[in-house]
Amino acid sequence: MINFDARLKRLKDRRQGTRELVLLEKGFHSWDTGDYRIRESYEELSESPGVRYAIGSMSAVNPESTKVSINEGNRVSDTLISMLKTEGIGATKRIQGSVALDIHIEGHSDVDMLIICEDTILVQTPKLDGSTCYAADNRPMVEIIAELRNKSEQKLTTRYYEADVDCTNSKSISLVGGSLKRKVDVVPSCWYHTHDYQRSRQERDIGIKIYHKKEHRLLGNFPFKHIARVNDKDTQYSGNLKKVIRLLKNLVADMPDYKKGKAKKLTSYDLAGIAYHMDQRLNVPSYMSLALVEQTRDFLSLLNASETYRNTLTVPDDTRKIFDDESKTEALEIITKEVEDLAYSIFRELRPLSQVYDGSVIKSKVI
């Protein structure tokens, strides 16, 4: 049986910060015994601890906390772009990752900011309009973005001298501490105008090439297509896709370390992809959100049972298979067992005298 009281405490700490951290942020004395964190709607439910934990795990974090993360990302990015301009480097910014999709599970969540070269772009050729490509800068694109990375490191280290600026990561520059209220990851990159983008001229179809510092090469991805497709399907199913993604991420976060290390072989990106393929299983009324626990358990069981089907699944932007490594199969088994334990524990709360699990009990529960 899951200790839901302990889970609820960790969930609240994750979503709002610990009581001690809030005391520090609000300027109260450390010996103050009060808890000044807000009471969220899931905490006010007149339901069993397991139900409150499941509903809380599916819920978006406080919008005010998310706004702080976004504002800090924009603040750092705008400052960097302004400093780069003094070096004759034109750049723009975009947000990517969990905060951009509102599927982050920590109130004090870090934020990923793309810093994108504006002076030169990569274009998939031949261009669909038949025109030729011309660039004022004839250096290979990898050299241009390497310069963007080097200048960004110099500027950020100088400007945010009170913060811990970590330039060792291959893909990003991390800033934490000092005047920053959130950790910010700066990702130097460039635009990639794919044929799809040349047809549609919609940003969702544009590609991004990220500079890999250690390997001195550019890595392609499509963050805006991922964001757009997840948002579209989430809207189609009235917010239920993001609820499932948050649920899975919270379950992994609450695992003991020996399990978590293996479960994290399925990244947050992979978990979003798994939930994305639940399709009609996401068709649940808002007042029966608990049913998503059973629907998720059922879908993960299917993935475990059918290797053939499992291996057809791609991430939302279609750039790769979700299960592209054998270690992810073991991760799936661990996460499936965690969802099963959650479903069975909630069932025992709702039907304490029943001996045989019945998923319809959870699916029919009105919250």
Side-chain angles (χ1 to χ4, degrees):
M1 190 74 172
I2 294 174
N3 183 346
F4 283 119
D5 289 334
R7 289 274 186 108
L8 284 165
K9 181 183 183 306
R10 288 197 296 270
L11 180 66
K12 188 174 183 67
D13 287 349
R14 193 159 51 243
R15 292 172 64 84
Q16 297 189 39
T18 63
R19 186 187 70 84
E20 293 75 16
L21 176 61
V22 172
L23 286 177
L24 179 65
E25 289 181 339
K26 291 184 178 293
F28 294 119
H29 294 297
S30 59
W31 58 81
D32 194 319
T33 59
D35 189 341
Y36 299 99
R37 294 174 294 182
I38 63 171
R39 292 274 296 176
E40 297 190 72
S41 58
Y42 76 90
E43 297 177 274
E44 301 289 352
L45 293 173
S46 299
E47 300 289 349
S48 62
V51 172
R52 283 186 277 121
Y53 172 76
I55 297 301
S57 293
M58 288 188 267
S59 303
V61 301
N62 189 313
E64 290 302 314
S65 294
T66 301
K67 184 178 179 181
V68 171
S69 295
I70 294 172
N71 287 345
E72 289 297 86
N74 284 330
R75 177 165 75 95
V76 171
S77 299
D78 290 340
T79 300
L80 175 58
I81 289 169
S82 178
M83 291 189 294
L84 289 170
K85 190 174 181 180
T86 65
E87 297 283 341
I89 298 175
T92 189
K93 67 181 180 184
R94 292 293 188 277
I95 187 173
Q96 67 169 2
S98 295
V99 171
L101 273 168
D102 197 19
I103 55 173
H104 54 298
I105 60 172
E106 296 182 4
H108 291 66
S109 183
D110 56 322
V111 58
D112 288 351
M113 300 299 301
L114 293 165
I115 297 298
I116 309 165
C117 176
E118 284 273 78
D119 300 327
T120 308
I121 61 172
L122 280 178
V123 178
Q124 184 176 4
T125 57
K127 290 184 69 177
L128 297 185
D129 62 6
S131 64
T132 58
C133 296
Y134 169 78
D137 191 333
N138 291 319
R139 290 177 297 166
M141 198 66 181
V142 67
E143 298 293 341
I144 295 173
I145 308 307
E147 181 188 40
L148 175 62
R149 167 79 189 231
N150 291 334
K151 292 294 184 182
S152 296
E153 290 180 359
Q154 294 171 19
K155 298 296 184 183
L156 292 171
T157 302
T158 302
R159 174 63 179 82
Y160 294 98
Y161 58 90
E162 292 183 340
D164 179 10
V165 182
D166 184 1
C167 301
T168 61
N169 190 284
S170 295
K171 300 176 185 177
S172 65
I173 306 162
S174 298
L175 300 89
V176 63
S179 65
L180 300 175
K181 298 176 182 177
R182 299 287 189 270
K183 179 186 175 187
V184 178
D185 290 321
V186 171
V187 185
S189 52
C190 67
W191 296 116
Y192 178 49
H193 287 193
T194 63
H195 283 162
D196 284 344
Y197 175 71
Q198 292 173 46
R199 289 189 193 95
S200 70
R201 292 294 165 179
Q202 294 185 13
E203 189 164 282
R204 65 187 296 158
D205 292 322
I206 202 168
I208 289 290
K209 297 279 188 176
I210 294 170
Y211 179 64
H212 193 291
K213 181 179 178 180
K214 292 180 181 176
E215 298 178 3
H216 188 58
R217 65 189 181 99
L218 298 176
L219 304 176
N221 65 14
F222 295 87
F224 312 121
K225 182 176 289 187
H226 175 81
I227 290 170
R229 287 187 172 178
V230 171
N231 277 333
D232 288 348
K233 185 164 286 190
D234 186 64
T235 299
Q236 179 183 351
Y237 290 108
S238 305
N240 288 336
L241 170 56
K242 293 183 181 182
K243 288 181 181 179
V244 172
I245 296 171
R246 297 185 199 106
L247 174 65
L248 292 173
K249 292 174 68 172
N250 274 298
L251 287 174
V252 172
D254 282 330
M255 288 179 184
D257 289 341
Y258 76 92
K259 276 204 242 180
K260 189 184 301 183
K262 295 178 180 179
K264 281 194 168 184
K265 296 297 182 181
L266 279 169
T267 65
S268 295
Y269 197 75
D270 294 323
L271 295 179
I274 289 171
Y276 183 83
H277 289 284
M278 286 177 62
D279 293 326
Q280 281 299 316
R281 287 180 175 83
L282 298 169
N283 194 14
V284 169
S286 59
Y287 54 86
M288 300 177 76
S289 292
L290 193 66
L292 292 170
V293 173
E294 169 59 19
Q295 300 291 65
T296 303
R297 185 205 65 78
D298 180 63
F299 185 64
L300 295 184
S301 295
L302 170 64
L303 295 188
N304 273 287
S306 178
E307 180 181 1
T308 301
Y309 174 62
R310 181 172 72 233
N311 289 340
T312 66
L313 302 184
T314 61
V315 292
D317 64 10
D318 291 329
T319 54
R320 63 169 174 83
K321 301 290 187 181
I322 295 174
F323 294 93
D324 56 357
D325 186 275
E326 188 61 34
S327 64
K328 292 184 178 182
T329 303
E330 182 183 13
L332 174 66
E333 293 171 357
I334 293 171
I335 294 172
T336 301
K337 180 64 166 59
E338 201 71 22
V339 176
E340 287 176 349
D341 287 348
L342 176 64
Y344 297 162
S345 295
I346 292 174
F347 173 75
R348 285 195 289 270
E349 285 184 335
L350 299 176
R351 294 289 187 273
L353 301 180
S354 297
Q355 299 298 314
V356 180
Y357 177 75
D358 181 0
S360 66
V361 172
I362 293 178
K363 290 171 69 173
S364 61
K365 172 69 175 174
V366 176
I367 304 296

